[in-house]
């Protein structure tokens, strides 16, 4: 995962879509491994979404705990170059539900 994320950050120019998609997917997969479960859905459209964090399982419709952001914001959070609280304050993340705070799980990788 480290190599895939390092290929797109620091974000000088928009990286090629396949490179960006790989970095997002691998980092979200890492999040799901670090915090297994199905109580929170983390979405980075159009690239990927994962369910993570132990708790009540969601099975149908929109889950009660959802985090959604763009690829750049997600990768900055995953590498620690952006703090969760700053991203929320700046409106770069939408997070709903009482389990939708990922700050204790981030960063996932240091570059």
């Amino acid at each position: 995962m480290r190599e895939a994320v390092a290929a797109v950050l620091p974000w000088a120019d928009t990286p090629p879509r396949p490179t960006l998609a790989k970095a997002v997917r691998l980092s979200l997969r890492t999040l799901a491994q670090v915090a297994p479960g199905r109580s929170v859905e983390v979405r980075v459209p159009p690239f990927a979404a994962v369910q993570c964090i132990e708790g009540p399982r969601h099975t149908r419709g929109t889950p009660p705990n959802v985090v959604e952001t763009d690829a750049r914001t997600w990768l900055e959070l995953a590498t620690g170059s952006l703090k969760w609280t700053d991203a929320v304050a700046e409106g770069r993340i939408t997070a709903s539900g009482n389990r939708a705070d990922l700050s204790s799980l981030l960063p996932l990788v240091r570059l």
Side-chain angles (χ1 to χ4, degrees):
M1 176 196 52
R2 182 181 313 274
E3 295 80 24
V5 175
V8 297
L9 291 175
W11 200 289
D13 295 317
T14 303
R17 187 175 171 93
T19 304
L20 183 58
K22 181 178 180 181
V24 168
R25 289 182 184 128
L26 289 174
S27 59
L28 284 174
R29 186 179 307 151
T30 300
L31 173 66
Q33 291 171 347
V34 168
R38 295 187 173 264
S39 70
V40 177
E41 186 167 291
V42 180
R43 301 172 180 167
V44 181
F47 300 112
V50 296
Q51 291 185 350
C52 59
I53 303 177
E54 298 248 348
R57 185 174 182 195
H58 165 74
T59 57
R60 292 166 86 61
T62 300
N65 300 287
V66 176
V67 173
E68 187 166 333
T69 191
D70 62 278
R72 179 179 187 156
T73 300
W74 170 249
L75 293 173
E76 289 175 351
L77 289 166
T79 59
S81 62
L82 177 64
K83 291 184 181 178
W84 176 266
T85 53
D86 293 340
V88 170
E90 294 168 10
R92 295 177 64 183
I93 295 173
T94 57
S96 63
N98 61 354
R99 296 177 180 272
D101 181 345
L102 304 180
S103 60
S104 66
L105 301 170
L106 299 170
L108 295 169
V109 63
R110 296 270 186 200
L111 297 181

